[in-house]
Amino acid sequence: MAYKIFHANCFDWLQAAEPLSVHAVVTDPPYGLVEFSDKERATLRNGDRGGNWRLPPSFDGSQRDPLPRFTTLSQNDKEQLQKFMRDWGRLLERVLVPGAHVCVAGNPSLQFLIQNAMADAGFEVRAAVIRLYVGFRGGDRPKLAEREFSDVCVTPRGGYEPWMLFRKPISERTVADNLRKWGTGGLRRLAGEKPLPDVIQSSRTPEIESGIANHPTIKPQHILRILVRAMLPRGTGIVLDPFAGSGSTIAAADAVGYDAIGIELDEHYFDESQHAIPLLSKLYPSMKGESLESPAELERDELRPKRRSRAEAQRSLL
């Protein structure tokens, strides 16, 4: 099994890629590149406040991760987001084999835009897998009037994350025939022939993972390995992450035993992925995405240490 990482614009890469060469996609897009524009990335990395990233204060002695301000997107931003995803979907459709699934991390307030865009691009809108976790997004009091309206929250406190599922239409008469020809069209069951559920309890990204891959929206290996494994129903094929960030999805594919391709535009995150992927993949050797339960390694106190430097996290795995 192997993986490849490309430092490229995924639109350019998809235009040049061989048609019918990818069997599944698992990704967390930047949603129109608003929060990952040069200006917004500089704001985030400098630790400045304002812009599309909210830098929350520490909580119970722990420094909370930056959160994108989706509520600040203008109507024009949302229209550009929808166009971005529609154009991306059309390029992606050419590269995917018939019946390939695309799993896209989303936000409840933007979900309908992404689904509409992908439908316009020719994909079937399938179910969404809901990741349940304790988050810090939402639940805020009115800005600059927190004391005046102390019993008011502007939005509910977030507790779930939708991973939207799309499928390129099958080319054969039935799903069974499509599975025989392309190896795609369905989702791989969990161990014990249990179907993949549409609700999965998954904690926030553990400190040991965020210490390895320094990315503001890194997802935990627990949910990524479950989703990545499910995308290839026959257990073979290539998984693509066109917005690879620091490589957590590629690491999950490598840990499960799948071939994978990652594409990342940002040079900083591309460089991060070179060392992060093998280290993340080595974590939790017994966790192959075939069960919803966290392995024993996740339950041990030593894997939930206080925040460590990236060098310390790396040394513990070498």
Side-chain angles (χ1 to χ4, degrees):
M1 301 299 171
Y3 62 83
K4 295 181 180 179
I5 306 296
F6 296 93
H7 180 209
N9 183 310
C10 77
F11 280 68
D12 296 336
W13 190 93
L14 289 170
Q15 286 178 324
E18 289 291 326
L20 307 178
S21 60
V22 173
H23 301 81
V25 173
V26 178
T27 193
D28 182 10
Y31 292 114
L33 303 178
V34 175
E35 66 269 27
F36 284 100
S37 65
D38 291 341
K39 177 183 176 182
E40 297 296 339
R41 285 199 301 259
T43 297
L44 174 63
R45 288 170 184 162
N46 293 335
D48 299 332
R49 297 190 176 275
N52 279 78
W53 288 93
R54 179 165 64 87
L55 303 179
S58 60
F59 180 76
D60 289 344
S62 299
Q63 185 63 41
R64 293 158 62 183
D65 294 330
L67 299 172
R69 295 176 182 263
F70 292 124
T71 55
T72 68
L73 300 183
S74 67
Q75 182 59 36
N76 181 65
D77 290 334
K78 293 177 181 178
E79 291 173 359
Q80 290 302 310
L81 163 61
Q82 199 161 6
K83 180 180 184 301
F84 175 86
M85 295 301 296
R86 182 169 55 248
D87 292 347
W88 174 73
R90 287 171 177 166
L91 287 174
L92 187 64
E93 192 274 341
R94 184 186 71 88
V95 176
L96 295 175
V97 301
H101 275 85
V102 179
C103 186
V104 180
N107 175 276
S109 64
L110 302 178
Q111 183 174 348
F112 75 102
L113 295 174
I114 310 307
Q115 290 173 324
N116 286 341
M118 292 295 283
D120 287 345
F123 285 86
E124 300 168 352
V125 178
R126 312 293 282 185
V129 176
I130 303 301
R131 173 194 168 206
L132 296 180
Y133 73 108
V134 178
F136 291 118
R137 187 176 288 118
D140 299 312
R141 295 179 174 87
K143 188 176 181 180
L144 304 180
E146 291 86 353
R147 292 189 178 182
E148 181 181 359
F149 300 104
S150 60
D151 57 348
V152 175
C153 61
V154 179
T155 60
R157 169 60 60 83
Y160 78 95
E161 178 180 71
W163 285 77
M164 295 165 281
L165 282 175
F166 307 96
R167 188 177 72 174
K168 179 175 176 176
I170 62 174
S171 62
E172 309 307 301
R173 187 175 62 88
T174 65
V175 170
D177 287 341
N178 208 84
L179 285 164
R180 295 182 186 105
K181 181 172 182 178
W182 300 104
T184 54
L187 299 169
R188 191 174 183 183
R189 287 176 174 263
L190 300 172
E193 300 186 352
K194 297 179 181 179
L196 179 74
D198 60 5
V199 176
I200 299 173
Q201 183 75 45
S202 181
S203 64
R204 297 180 70 232
T205 304
E207 296 284 355
I208 194 170
E209 296 177 34
S210 57
I212 292 171
N214 186 22
H215 192 280
T217 61
I218 181 174
K219 308 301 182 185
Q221 286 295 295
H222 176 242
I223 188 69
L224 286 175
R225 293 185 190 184
I226 293 171
L227 293 174
V228 166
R229 180 184 180 277
M231 293 304 107
L232 297 181
R234 306 301 303 276
T236 60
I238 296 174
V239 177
L240 171 68
D241 185 353
F243 307 102
S246 49
S248 55
T249 299
I250 305 305
D254 187 57
V256 168
Y258 287 171
D259 294 332
I261 296 173
I263 308 165
E264 178 51 42
L265 175 63
D266 186 90
E267 184 176 5
H268 173 79
Y269 294 132
F270 172 77
D271 291 340
E272 286 261 343
S273 71
Q274 305 305 300
H275 74 266
I277 291 172
L279 292 173
L280 288 172
S281 178
K282 287 181 182 179
L283 290 174
Y284 329 126
S286 65
M287 187 168 70
K288 302 296 184 182
E290 60 186 6
S291 170
L292 302 181
E293 297 178 358
S294 299
E297 291 94 329
L298 281 177
E299 302 302 324
R300 296 174 186 166
D301 291 339
E302 62 264 32
L303 289 184
R304 291 183 178 175
K306 294 181 180 179
R307 183 176 292 276
R308 300 181 295 175
S309 69
R310 190 178 315 155
E312 290 172 332
Q314 292 172 1
R315 283 198 297 271
S316 71
L317 296 170
L318 295 177

